[in-house]
Amino acid sequence: MPLAIPRLIGHRGAKASAPENTLPAIEEAHRQGATWIEFDAKLTKDGVPILMHDETLDRTTSGKGDVAAHTLAEIRALDAGAWFGPAFAGTKVPTLEEAMALMASLGMGFNIEIKPCPGREAETARAACALVDELWPKSLPTPVVSSFKRAALAAAQKDFAHLPRGYLAEELTGDWLGEAKALGCATIHPGWKRLTEAQVRAAKVAGHPVLVWTVNEAPRARELLAWGVDALITDKPGEIGAAITR
Ligand code: G3P
Ligand code: MG
């Protein structure tokens, strides 16, 4: 399918309403009306792509220590929901494969953010892209592979050039457009805080859809859409979705 990005994308699923980067968070985003989600992917010690934001297990699971120092079996034994609320106790850290199976069953699309543990940039991009390439149904929306790490984007460009890449940045500085072009990026993913209307215009003139994060307030959402931003990545897809359709 050609790249068809919706105006609203759930951040880490629906981060405000369910434990981030879990299957219940994907289901919740869908329930709130999101047709796509963004999530973070990194590797276990034994090289399996899982959904996880932090380098350590401490904040979002019942475990402790570096994600990269734990095997999939060790991570699967942890609770990734109780920290968020008792209703989510027993939630597991999902593998990328499980998350894709759920999204496919819901007919959703996704932006996978490659969030490598230090030193595993290329390896993480290759492992995640290989699974997406192998398992994601071609009849469903083409996913976008983004990363803050240029080495991850370069590895994806080299080995999986056909998967659209997203240039992710806290702030667009220096020759960001040239860098995005050199990495063959289709889309630009800036944080909203230091983004300018002129930058949005420049990206659009160069043919890049702009996906902005993390937009949780209605007036900001409306302003960004008025600037020509294509998609808002939000913790609150239901609330922001209602605000922008009013
Ligand atoms: O991909 C957009 C956004 O998720 C990047 O920041 O820290 O929430 O992964 P972070
Ligand atoms: Mg992210």
Side-chain angles (χ1 to χ4, degrees), residues 15-234:
K15 180 175 173 280
S17 314
E20 63 186 63
N21 288 321
T22 64
L23 300 185
I26 296 172
E27 284 163 346
E28 178 61 20
H30 182 256
R31 201 186 62 73
Q32 290 186 21
T35 55
W36 275 46
I37 61 154
E38 182 267 5
F39 59 86
D40 308 293
K42 50 168 46 72
L43 298 180
T44 62
K45 182 181 180 183
D46 42 345
V48 180
I50 56 168
L51 273 56
M52 176 77 63
H53 181 274
D54 295 4
E55 274 173 34
T56 63
L57 298 163
D58 303 43
R59 182 177 63 88
T60 59
T61 77
S62 54
K64 281 199 185 330
D66 289 345
V67 174
H70 291 78
T71 63
L72 178 64
E74 289 166 341
I75 290 173
R76 292 290 283 180
L78 304 173
D79 189 309
W83 69 274
F84 190 86
F88 295 100
T91 300
K92 304 280 180 220
V93 172
T95 61
L96 172 58
E97 186 170 348
E98 285 173 324
M100 283 196 293
L102 174 60
M103 291 184 291
S105 76
L106 296 171
M108 297 179 85
F110 64 92
N111 164 207
I112 174 170
E113 181 191 340
I114 307 296
K115 189 79 108 181
C117 291
R120 303 187 84 181
E121 289 81 7
E123 182 193 1
T124 306
R126 281 195 292 266
C129 288
L131 270 189
V132 170
D133 200 36
E134 183 191 351
L135 299 178
W136 186 249
K138 304 287 178 272
S139 57
L140 288 173
T142 301
V144 176
V145 180
S146 64
S147 190
F148 287 112
K149 300 295 179 189
R150 306 306 170 227
L153 290 174
Q157 180 184 28
K158 178 167 174 285
D159 293 339
F160 297 90
H162 56 288
L163 293 179
R165 288 170 299 289
Y167 182 87
L168 182 52
E170 190 98 36
E171 181 180 5
L172 298 175
T173 55
D175 184 20
W176 57 272
L177 202 47
E179 204 178 22
K181 270 193 204 308
L183 289 162
C185 290
T187 52
I188 308 288
H189 303 217
W192 65 262
K193 287 186 184 154
R194 292 181 208 90
L195 183 65
T196 66
E197 188 173 2
Q199 289 173 328
V200 174
R201 211 175 306 123
K204 305 282 297 181
V205 165
H208 302 290
V210 180
L211 291 69
V212 180
W213 52 277
T214 305
V215 184
N216 292 329
E217 284 155 20
R220 179 77 52 198
R222 291 195 200 97
E223 179 183 44
L224 289 164
L225 291 176
W227 286 2
V229 159
D230 294 272
L232 307 169
I233 300 177
T234 177

